[in-house]
Amino acid sequence: MKSVKCNYLLAMLSLGLFFTACDKDPVENTITITIEEPVDGENFNSANCSEIHVHVDVEASDENHGVEIILHPEGDVDDKIIDYDMHSHDKVITFEQEVDLCSYASGTCFHLEVFACKDHDCATRESADVEFCIE
């Protein structure tokens, strides 16, 4: 008889914990993408085209799930200078890389795009982009 009461009490406690956990509202994960460098609309002279610094920070309120960073000449998405794809659960992801763009003609503009997943299956995501040129 005593074990029946204990089993009943244990079952009720477990059921109570289950319903309590299900009542919580899910926390919305907010993503902030900051493209530190290059700056949107920036023009680099041909003397500085060999060491253009790309710096991106992706910060999540809860956790990151995936980050994609693409750099390509404007109008040519197939010519990917940077094609970075990372799956990480860190709250902050920092990407920094020097790129040499001297092989491109003066007047070429570039498009830097950043995408970050707000959830694990990437059903929703944030994005940011900048354009810059070589003079």
Side-chain angles (χ1 to χ4, degrees), residues 18-55:
F18 175 74
F19 283 117
T20 302
C22 291
D23 286 343
K24 291 184 180 179
D25 291 330
V27 175
E28 170 135 5
N29 190 29
T30 57
I31 304 288
T32 303
I33 300 171
T34 307
I35 300 174
E36 300 283 350
E37 296 179 82
V39 176
D40 192 35
E42 189 169 4
N43 290 308
F44 293 92
N45 64 40
S46 57
N48 296 334
C49 63
S50 64
E51 293 184 359
I52 295 178
H53 188 72
V54 176
H55 179 176

Side-chain angles (χ1 to χ4, degrees), residues 1 3-4 7 12 14 17 25-27 29 36 39 41-42 51 59 68 71-72 84 91 98 100 102 106 125 130:
M1 185 73 163
S3 75
V4 171
N7 287 341
M12 294 310 283
S14 297
L17 289 173
D25 291 330
V27 175
N29 190 29
E36 300 283 350
V39 176
E42 189 169 4
E51 293 184 359
E59 186 172 351
E68 183 179 8
L71 174 64
H72 61 84
Y84 175 81
K91 277 186 103 165
E98 304 292 328
D100 182 352
C102 291
S106 179
R125 61 187 197 168
V130 297

